[in-house]
Amino acid sequence: MVDLALKILLHDKLRFTITVAGVAFAVALVLSQVGLFFGLLSNATLTIRHANADLWVTSHNTPNVDFAHQFPETYVNRVRSVPGVARAGNLIVTFMNITLPNGAEEGGVFYALEDFGAWNLPWTVKEGDIQDLRRGEFIFLDESAKRRLGDFATGDYREVQHNRLRIAGVSQEAKSFTTTPVSFIDFRRAQEMNPDLLKGNTSYILVKLAPGADAAAVKAELHRRLPFNDVYTSNEWATKSEAYWIKNTGIGLNAFLAVFLGVLVGVVVVAQTLYTSTMEHIKEFGTVKAIGGSNADIYRILARQATIAAVLGFLLGLGLAFAQKPAVEAMNLKLIMPASTISVVAVGTLLLCLASAMVSFRKVANVDPGLVFRS
Amino acid sequence: MAVLEARDITKTYQEGVQETTVLRGVSMDLHAGEVVTLEGPSGSGKTTLLQILGCILSPSGGDLRIQQKPVEGRSSHLAAVRRRNIGFVFQQFNLFPSLNALENVQYALNLKGLKGPAAKQEARALLDAVGLLDRAGYLPRDLSGGQKQRVAIARALACKPAVLLADEPTANLDSAVGAQILELFRDLAKRENRALLVVTHDPKVRSIADRVLQIHDGRLRP
Ligand SMILES: Nc1ncnc2c1ncn2[C@@H]1O[C@H](COP(=O)(O)OP(=O)(O)OP(=O)(O)O)[C@@H](O)[C@H]1O
Ligand SMILES: [Mg+2]
């Protein structure tokens, strides 16, 4: 087959480059903005996804994992007596101020447990032994906190709520949506440091189900026994925390606008360049008809041009998006581009390019083959 | 045998409220293996008639039969008849500038349903017939006017259409080259037993004709 569609595209290399660049720009914009959105959002639920808990008991209407409310710690005993619960433990999540060596204060979100090992928190320990936290005057800080707290090392002392605590170790990857550093401290120590708020209280109860237990049934029973609390599976709880940030910050709107702009730019560039190309080659399309081509033949040419632009533009855009990754990560942000997102963008690119070609097709379908007799 | 029969063809162009009647009842036949020229002054309706005979335009009235089958006005039907039976050569050559000589011919074969290596081989044979096989890889911009028209003739012959129609094929060529091209075209049409109609207002073109038709103000002269 003679590929007239491709030959026409390549005949004007500059315009072809512009078309492909337009698609690539749009694809890169959409992928990086959506990737950034997923990256930011993933920080909102890191602790939920890594904690070794099947169910989370929260106080009623807690909006997200960072903004915890308290309830009596003794509720954990009611949870433990529910059939199907293998084990349950209290978790305090609370904000406390950390004093920096220069005298400034930074907020930190502290996760306080009795047995960190049992709940896989923190999930990556870089230095130190997490069990040391039980001995009292110790904290674990996350490596990512160095951006906010300055450099620190195991063995250093830091002042938290005016208590001098020793850094027993350093974790990795423990971030929160608000970029407030996540730190770890013993459950009792946390209660002592803020007795007004925390004495006799907890923020959450983490629940591990017995093998084979029915999560829905356990959830229902927990709800019956703790009518003034909410109970979520860890997935539900992660979704709720994410939804809170999407709704209450601009990131959802921002991602949506970026996608919208990307689509707009892509469609306009492709429609416009294909259209001017088609108009410039209108006599050739007339010739195609005069020598026996049908409207289907014409559409095949336009569709093929759109597909070529879409495929090349998409691949280039994908490459650009991945090329940005190191720079974005250097800024302590994440680009998360799952295969599902990439596939949706790929299919979307193709469909939008084909739709853009329709603009030209309407013109060419009506082209008068008598054109070829005129000079 | 008449491969094309036109009876009482009329054509009126409608532009807004203004109507221009260009053809006022044209009847003619074309036979296999026959070379006919159509002469007439500018504006007499030659190109219009050619477009109707070539199923590019539908007439306002009259009957057209190609290969004994009536031609209807629906554009999809016209396109199908055109694809099967008609080969066009134009004054402006109308080659595809981005395709080389061989591809120009091959593309026409593709459109008419011949694909793959067979199409390439047939395209080479056609280029050979017009004496241009050694220019197969040239783009139209690197060919002379006469060479372009040879490629166009090879393209028109693709898939052996019964009717070959040419609209002033030599008007853009100098007369010596034009005469050569016309002779080549006539010989090829004769060899393959095709009907060839050449529209011209150049009386010299007569030299190749078996029969000369003259059109004046939308009517054929008896
Ligand atoms: N698409 C059209 N719409 C309206 N009028 C047209 C159209 N095409 C041709 N005409 C008119 O029809 C008449 C005949 O035109 P046509 O092109 O058939 O003449 P011609 O014999 O081929 O002339 P020439 O020798 O100059 O090529 C002219 O007056 C022209 O203006
Ligand atoms: Mg004319």
Side-chain angles (χ1 to χ4, degrees), chain B residues 14-36:
Chain B
Q14 185 109 33
E15 274 188 81
V17 288
Q18 191 174 334
E19 293 192 343
T20 322
T21 298
V22 180
L23 298 177
R24 303 165 194 273
V26 172
S27 298
M28 58 174 286
D29 291 350
L30 286 178
H31 296 93
E34 182 186 36
V35 177
V36 178

Side-chain angles (χ1 to χ4, degrees), chain A residues 373, chain B residues 41-48 50-51 91 167-168 199 201:
Chain A
F373 293 94
Chain B
S42 187
S44 55
K46 302 183 296 295
T47 298
T48 303
L50 197 78
Q51 289 184 43
Q91 179 178 346
D167 192 12
E168 317 232 15
V199 161
H201 51 212

Side-chain angles (χ1 to χ4, degrees), chain B:
Chain B
M1 192 179 66
V3 289
L4 180 150
E5 300 154 83
R7 292 292 170 271
D8 270 327
I9 299 290
T10 61
K11 180 68 189 178
T12 303
Y13 286 114
Q14 185 109 33
E15 274 188 81
V17 288
Q18 191 174 334
E19 293 192 343
T20 322
T21 298
V22 180
L23 298 177
R24 303 165 194 273
V26 172
S27 298
M28 58 174 286
D29 291 350
L30 286 178
H31 296 93
E34 182 186 36
V35 177
V36 178
T37 60
L38 175 64
E39 296 175 0
S42 187
S44 55
K46 302 183 296 295
T47 298
T48 303
L49 180 59
L50 197 78
Q51 289 184 43
I52 290 172
L53 300 182
C55 301
I56 276 183
L57 203 61
S58 46
S60 309
D63 290 314
L64 178 64
R65 294 170 81 84
I66 292 180
Q67 303 275 46
Q68 279 76 51
K69 291 195 197 75
V71 177
E72 297 156 26
R74 274 177 302 118
S75 69
S76 58
H77 175 74
L78 284 179
V81 176
R82 188 161 73 226
R83 182 200 311 256
R84 230 173 304 125
N85 301 300
I86 310 289
F88 272 115
V89 171
F90 313 97
Q91 179 178 346
Q92 323 282 336
F93 319 127
N94 290 334
L95 298 179
F96 297 105
S98 50
L99 301 184
N100 66 30
L102 184 72
E103 289 165 339
N104 261 286
V105 180
Q106 198 183 337
Y107 184 66
L109 289 160
N110 290 162
L111 276 183
K112 295 181 180 209
L114 185 64
K115 314 236 154 125
K120 189 159 193 169
Q121 199 158 358
E122 175 68 8
R124 294 180 71 83
L126 286 165
L127 274 190
D128 198 18
V130 297
L132 263 192
L133 196 50
D134 58 334
R135 296 285 187 278
Y138 282 48
L139 289 176
R141 63 156 186 262
D142 299 325
L143 297 173
S144 71
Q147 289 170 331
K148 279 188 238 192
Q149 203 57 304
R150 283 166 193 257
V151 176
I153 289 171
R155 180 173 74 179
L157 291 168
C159 289
K160 311 194 187 318
V163 180
L164 298 166
L165 301 173
D167 192 12
E168 317 232 15
T170 57
N172 282 3
L173 304 174
D174 70 49
S175 55
V177 174
Q180 271 178 10
I181 295 281
L182 282 172
E183 261 162 50
L184 170 74
F185 203 2
R186 181 195 58 195
D187 292 347
L188 288 170
K190 289 270 183 203
R191 193 197 308 164
E192 298 203 357
N193 205 31
R194 314 280 140 211
L196 170 60
L197 177 68
V198 180
V199 161
T200 181
H201 51 212
D202 175 6
K204 272 187 296 195
V205 174
R206 271 177 199 215
S207 59
I208 63 158
D210 301 325
R211 187 150 64 92
V212 177
L213 296 174
Q214 290 197 318
I215 187 169
H216 210 91
D217 200 17
R219 284 196 186 85
L220 290 185
R221 288 237 180 102

